[in-house]
Amino acid sequence: MDYEDEFVMGLSDDNLEAAWQICERYFAQTIYDSESHEQWIAKTFILIKSLASARSLPLPNEWTAASLTPERKFELIKQLSKVAQDYLTDRRNAEDEERFTALLGGTFAYGLSGADIQRLTTLLDELGELLETSKIDPKVRTRLISRLTKVRDQIRPKMTDVSGLYGLIGDVGIVRASLGPESNPYVDKVREIVEIAWRAQAAAQGLPTSTKLSLSYLSEETPK
């Protein structure tokens, strides 16, 4: 049992969600009373402490205590799992309430048609496929694919925030810097994604359908 590099690099940017991902993996692969269980506890404990150190995630002081028994480490992991799970449940409930309210017309929202959603999903999937076979540094690739997955999961017929779609402009900048002329397919797909987001934003703000978004960043010549 181990935490592969790809798993660690793909942990959520949200610290408590990342902690939950680790705990979930730990409990899913735990074989209690096995000879390797203590090693699995120790490895999980170290990974969570490393996460806390790297990202300034506050943990109870006991996590830094010396000579903790495997049993006590297990209890601390279980406690953290409960905290993280409660946090994610509260977050999902808040997101659901916001989404349902938007769908029922109670709050401002950006509207996406069925065709928009289908096209966005296709473009995001194609971007992921391109990244999978790209020459980009594996660590960067894993982070970018994780971002695409998160953006894809946020797409709804009515969205209160489209910043995730616009955020892909920064991600494609990384691809451009890494791949040069080979980045053109990425740029084209992100340009189309941003155009869809802009149409939804313009419509929600009551702007004329002919209003154009300046995409000079995406249209400038790719570095040779």
Side-chain angles (χ1 to χ4, degrees):
M1 294 179 287
D2 200 0
Y3 295 102
E4 303 83 3
D5 291 352
E6 291 77 10
F7 173 81
V8 176
M9 291 186 296
L11 289 171
S12 172
D13 293 333
D14 184 303
N15 290 341
L16 276 177
E17 184 175 5
W20 163 245
Q21 289 171 332
I22 296 169
C23 294
E24 184 181 39
R25 175 76 173 270
Y26 164 75
F27 287 114
Q29 294 193 359
T30 292
I31 302 176
Y32 298 101
D33 300 323
S34 69
E35 294 181 1
S36 61
H37 188 207
E38 287 190 13
Q39 296 177 351
W40 186 224
I41 290 176
K43 186 164 291 191
T44 301
F45 200 78
I46 291 170
L47 177 54
I48 292 173
K49 286 180 64 177
S50 298
L51 172 73
S53 175
R55 300 190 184 179
S56 301
L57 171 66
L59 291 174
N61 291 336
E62 190 176 359
W63 278 79
T64 61
S67 303
L68 286 173
T69 65
E71 291 77 16
R72 186 54 191 160
K73 289 180 179 179
F74 173 80
E75 288 301 321
L76 290 173
I77 292 170
K78 191 163 65 172
Q79 290 171 14
L80 177 62
S81 175
K82 179 66 166 58
V83 170
Q85 188 173 27
D86 289 346
Y87 162 77
L88 291 176
T89 298
D90 290 343
R91 191 182 73 179
R92 282 192 294 268
N93 289 342
E95 290 171 350
D96 284 342
E97 182 177 357
E98 182 180 80
R99 179 166 61 91
F100 294 149
T101 302
L103 288 170
L104 295 170
T107 59
F108 175 83
Y110 304 103
L112 293 173
S113 68
D116 288 337
I117 291 174
Q118 183 175 359
R119 185 57 183 158
L120 285 171
T121 301
T122 298
L123 288 167
L124 290 168
D125 287 345
E126 291 175 348
L127 279 170
E129 292 168 2
L130 286 171
L131 285 169
E132 288 284 4
T133 58
S134 72
K135 299 175 183 177
I136 294 175
D137 178 272
K139 294 181 179 180
V140 176
R141 181 169 61 235
T142 299
R143 288 197 297 270
L144 292 177
I145 290 175
S146 177
R147 285 260 303 132
L148 289 176
T149 301
K150 183 175 293 187
V151 171
R152 189 181 188 280
D153 290 344
Q154 292 172 347
I155 295 175
R156 300 284 189 276
K158 289 189 177 182
M159 300 173 61
T160 57
D161 184 5
V162 292
S163 60
L165 298 172
Y166 286 120
L168 296 176
I169 295 175
D171 294 337
V172 83
I174 296 173
V175 176
R176 282 165 59 88
S178 301
L179 300 182
E182 295 180 20
S183 69
N184 288 340
Y186 300 85
V187 174
D188 292 341
K189 294 182 189 303
V190 170
R191 181 187 294 111
E192 187 174 350
I193 288 171
V194 170
E195 287 173 347
I196 293 172
W198 170 247
R199 287 200 301 270
Q201 187 174 11
Q205 299 290 349
L207 297 176
T209 56
S210 58
T211 305
K212 300 295 183 182
L213 172 66
S214 174
L215 297 176
S216 58
Y217 174 84
L218 294 178
S219 61
E220 66 186 29
E221 184 179 354
T222 302
K224 299 293 190 288

